[in-house]
Amino acid sequence: YQVAKTGVGYIDMYVYNWAGANYREYAQIQLLDTLQIGQCYYVEFFVNRANSAYGGKYATNNLGCLFNDTALTTTGNGDALDIPANILKFGNPIITDTLNWVEVSGIYTSNGNERFIVLGNFANDFNTDTLDMMDGTYPGAIYFFDDVSVIPIDSIPGGMPAYAGVDTNVILGDSVFIGQK
């Protein structure tokens, strides 16, 4: 059981199912407006791992979205699309949280004419990291997705504030992300 981030509902999908099976489910919807070429968009959605009673014993990474100008179709056999996501959580960590909604966000620059957003894990099993949470027996992972937003950056009042994070010492060989949250 999970309370929706906002409103009364959310969607759930298998993002990993049986090692080596490459089985995936995706959610796709047509956007209200076609994305404009060269326009930057702030993209945000929230995910939450279904607990063991419902969603399997694994946690995974690669929870993301992609944009397309036409609706994606599959053969109906649940195969991983095996194409790069446009937006992933920074660092692409394995998301284990079953209590709190975890934000996945980023900036997307449109190629022009994108009309659809697709959510899920687009990588095959070989390129998906998993973690056995030892809280179930079903060899898969189900995640909930909620509050999907695609907002033109130039329409955000005051723009996007810069965020450099907490004070950090950086030494040779380290890296630090400077920019949006």
Side-chain angles (χ1 to χ4, degrees), residues 71-88:
L72 295 177
T73 57
T74 64
T75 60
N77 59 7
D79 285 344
L81 293 176
D82 203 19
I83 52 180
N86 296 125
I87 302 292
L88 294 168

Side-chain angles (χ1 to χ4, degrees), residues 105-155:
S105 62
I107 305 295
Y108 175 70
T109 303
S110 174
N111 296 320
N113 298 321
E114 294 96 327
R115 297 181 310 132
F116 293 87
I117 185 171
V118 186
L119 302 169
N121 171 5
F122 303 96
N124 61 30
D125 287 354
F126 181 77
N127 291 305
T128 297
D129 294 331
T130 60
L131 180 63
D132 187 340
M133 300 302 293
M134 299 194 196
D135 63 355
T137 57
Y138 186 79
I142 292 178
Y143 280 80
F144 303 130
F145 290 72
D146 201 3
D147 277 0
V148 180
S149 300
V150 179
I151 304 167
I153 288 181
D154 61 6
S155 72

Side-chain angles (χ1 to χ4, degrees), residues 36-48:
Q36 301 302 308
I37 190 167
Q39 174 73 47
C40 293
Y41 294 85
Y42 176 70
V43 181
E44 174 182 85
F45 58 93
F46 293 82
V47 298
N48 177 268

Side-chain angles (χ1 to χ4, degrees), residues 24-112:
R24 303 285 185 274
E25 293 177 338
Y26 299 97
Q28 175 174 244
I29 190 164
Q30 187 168 350
L31 299 167
L32 295 175
D33 292 312
T34 301
L35 301 186
Q36 301 302 308
I37 190 167
Q39 174 73 47
C40 293
Y41 294 85
Y42 176 70
V43 181
E44 174 182 85
F45 58 93
F46 293 82
V47 298
N48 177 268
R49 180 180 162 261
N51 66 22
S52 63
Y54 178 75
K57 66 180 188 168
Y58 289 108
T60 71
N61 67 341
N62 291 331
L63 304 177
C65 72
L66 66 84
F67 294 93
N68 207 29
D69 58 347
T70 59
L72 295 177
T73 57
T74 64
T75 60
N77 59 7
D79 285 344
L81 293 176
D82 203 19
I83 52 180
N86 296 125
I87 302 292
L88 294 168
K89 185 166 182 65
F90 179 72
N92 195 19
I94 293 175
I95 297 174
T96 60
D97 205 324
T98 59
L99 180 62
N100 302 296
W101 288 96
V102 177
E103 179 185 310
V104 177
S105 62
I107 305 295
Y108 175 70
T109 303
S110 174
N111 296 320

